Amino acid sequence: MRPEEGWDGAVLRALSPEWADRVIFLPECDSTNDEARLLAGRGAPDGQVVLTENQRSGRGRRGQRWTCPPGEGLAFSLVVRPLAPSACWSRASLAAGLAVAEALDPFGVAAGVKWPNDIWVAGKKIAGILVEGGSDFLVVGVGLNANVRDFPDDLTFPATSLALERSVPVSREEVLVSVLTRLAPRLGQIDRGFDELRRAWSERCVLSGKVVTLESGGTKMTGRVEGLSTHGELLLRTPSGLARILQASEIREVID
Ligand code: BTN
């Protein structure tokens, strides 16, 4: 970590020597997911973190951009080498979303998860996760609006930040440590701990019990969200029965 670049390695070390040793800081890069992927391909260990101050071409899910003004947000990627069988790896994005939402509790912000892994506060998105896979590793990319105050006009969703919700800036180092310490245990639950993960996720889900519309496999559906299946699918009670959603377009709440 290089203090002169805005991130203070000494602060991070004081907060958590264990995590400070695992963080590679890049003043700028195209995407931390790409950098982490490269390192993982060269043998980087489980728990390696790539953090940047200025991500030039941050990616979101479904081919969207992820932008963040330098010095204001948190953009990092974690290399994960799951012990669980690869059949369970798709659950990692649920685990990561839940961990990030939980990591905001100490900052006095009530964050929920929106399927599959967006993090929302008071009806606005505060963080997003992009999980990408390699043959024997996963890269979990986290973008979190820590002290961001202005957002692009062309966002397709309302956005907020910790600073806006609390009316005071946060220490990004403290937020980083809070997220990292929660990510590892939640990611450890994608196999045998999945029932607990599913329960905690459903409790945090901002859509639980709500009527939503979405598009899945070319079909538009409306139904009430009933939580997660044992396979990590979203359970949607529709007029024609219980649908199990694996992939969907943006999910919108139906306000009636
Ligand atoms: C989304 O909500 O669509 C996911 C956003 C994920 C953004 C993070 S920022 C760090 C990492 N690097 C990327 O290019 N994307 C992820």
Side-chain angles (χ1 to χ4, degrees):
M1 300 285 284
R2 308 229 310 254
E4 72 274 19
E5 300 295 345
W7 282 95
D8 193 332
V11 174
L12 191 58
R13 194 160 299 283
L15 284 168
S16 169
E18 185 209 356
W19 281 109
D21 284 342
R22 300 198 214 168
V23 175
I24 293 177
F25 176 69
L26 303 173
E28 55 182 1
C29 69
D30 284 337
S31 158
T32 55
N33 265 32
D34 292 345
E35 299 290 340
R37 213 186 166 110
L38 213 65
L39 290 173
R42 292 187 194 137
D46 179 75
Q48 180 76 69
V49 177
V50 180
L51 169 73
T52 192
E53 188 64 287
N54 185 11
Q55 188 169 241
R56 290 180 298 249
S57 318
R59 291 195 303 277
R61 288 187 304 111
R62 295 197 298 266
Q64 289 178 333
R65 277 182 314 137
W66 182 265
T67 55
C68 181
E72 296 184 7
L74 202 49
F76 69 90
S77 300
L78 172 73
V79 173
V80 183
R81 296 192 181 275
L83 298 174
S86 55
C88 301
W89 290 15
S90 62
R91 298 169 174 175
S93 71
L94 299 168
L98 176 61
V100 173
E102 291 173 332
L104 303 188
D105 288 349
F107 300 91
V109 165
V113 283
K114 184 175 170 201
W115 192 84
N117 56 9
D118 282 351
I119 295 90
W120 284 60
V121 172
K124 296 175 185 170
K125 181 164 170 173
I126 198 165
I129 314 270
L130 180 66
V131 179
E132 295 178 318
S135 53
D136 57 353
F137 63 84
L138 291 174
V139 167
V140 176
V142 179
L144 201 158
N145 302 327
N147 292 326
V148 181
R149 293 197 164 268
D150 293 304
F151 297 96
D153 294 332
D154 60 351
L155 284 186
T156 55
F157 48 84
T160 191
S161 69
L162 282 171
L164 289 174
E165 293 302 318
R166 296 160 29 109
S167 307
V168 281
V170 284
S171 152
R172 289 181 300 158
E173 284 89 349
E174 282 179 15
V175 179
L176 176 65
V177 169
S178 185
V179 173
L180 290 175
T181 48
R182 284 166 179 82
L183 269 175
R186 282 297 183 200
L187 286 164
Q189 292 181 316
I190 60 172
D191 190 1
R192 282 187 211 135
F194 192 61
D195 275 348
E196 198 316 275
L197 175 60
R198 200 158 67 96
R199 187 202 52 74
W201 191 97
S202 298
E203 258 173 33
R204 283 260 173 188
C205 177
V206 295
L207 298 174
S208 285
K210 304 254 166 73
V211 176
V212 300
T213 56
L214 55 82
E215 200 176 299
S216 180
T219 311
K220 202 170 167 197
M221 298 187 201
T222 300
R224 194 174 294 279
V225 173
E226 288 195 352
L228 278 184
S229 76
T230 47
H231 298 291
E233 303 137 318
L234 186 74
L235 294 173
L236 193 68
R237 177 70 58 189
T238 72
S240 46
L242 190 63
R244 295 163 181 272
I245 311 294
L246 244 190
Q247 291 206 323
S249 61
E250 186 77 14
I251 303 181
R252 294 188 191 282
E253 189 180 338
V254 177
I255 312 281
D256 49 10

